[in-house]
Amino acid sequence: MRIKAKPEDFIVEERIDLPLAPQGRYSVYRVSKNDISTMQVQEAMASALRVPKAAIAFPALKDKEAMATQYCSVQSLPKDAKPDRIDGKEFQAERVGQAERHLRAGDLR
């Protein structure tokens, strides 16, 4: 018997504890993904935002074969290049604010 047959069989939702700062150098995004790896989302977001992959920090990796909501921070986006939403093939990212530093594993609750 297979417990995880489709992504909807495994749902993960991250919660973070990082104070937001209106003038912070990092944009924080809530990412909803389905059947795509965290690394693939990082690559797609980097391409969409025209930044290096290293500018995007995910505090943890999530299973590709899952429906997951997780957070990432993007370093130093220009003011006119901070989209409120990024739509990818198997993910959506919504900007939830700014922070003074990037997200770390210790920010997860």
Side-chain angles (χ1 to χ4, degrees), residues 20-35:
L20 296 179
Q23 303 302 320
R25 293 183 12 220
Y26 295 82
S27 295
V28 178
Y29 285 87
R30 179 179 31 247
V31 178
S32 300
K33 65 185 199 70
N34 186 355
D35 203 23

Side-chain angles (χ1 to χ4, degrees), residues 2-13 32-36 63-69 89-90 92:
R2 189 168 172 185
I3 295 175
K4 263 180 28 177
K6 55 189 184 279
E8 296 81 16
D9 292 337
F10 188 53
I11 299 172
V12 178
E13 184 170 340
S32 300
K33 65 185 199 70
N34 186 355
D35 203 23
I36 183 173
D63 193 335
K64 175 184 176 179
E65 296 180 13
M67 288 180 63
T69 301
K89 186 175 178 187
E90 287 130 341
Q92 297 82 40

Side-chain angles (χ1 to χ4, degrees), residues 52-93:
K53 283 186 346 183
I56 301 174
F58 281 88
L61 301 177
K62 298 294 177 254
D63 193 335
K64 175 184 176 179
E65 296 180 13
M67 288 180 63
T69 301
Q70 61 189 126
Y71 290 83
C72 71
S73 55
V74 183
Q75 182 179 7
S76 302
L77 285 174
K79 196 170 205 171
D80 61 339
K82 294 178 183 173
D84 289 332
R85 187 173 171 93
I86 302 166
D87 289 308
K89 186 175 178 187
E90 287 130 341
F91 76 94
Q92 297 82 40

Side-chain angles (χ1 to χ4, degrees), residues 13-18 105-109:
E13 184 170 340
E14 269 185 1
R15 295 177 192 252
I16 59 169
D17 188 14
L18 175 69
D107 296 322
L108 298 176
R109 297 174 87 205

Side-chain angles (χ1 to χ4, degrees), residues 39-47 51-58 73:
M39 301 307 283
Q40 290 171 305
V41 171
Q42 181 188 32
E43 194 170 306
M45 285 183 67
S47 177
V51 299
K53 283 186 346 183
I56 301 174
F58 281 88
S73 55

Side-chain angles (χ1 to χ4, degrees), residues 93-106:
E94 178 184 356
R95 191 166 65 86
V96 295
Q98 300 296 118
E100 292 294 331
R101 63 172 175 78
H102 69 85
L103 286 167
R104 303 179 197 143

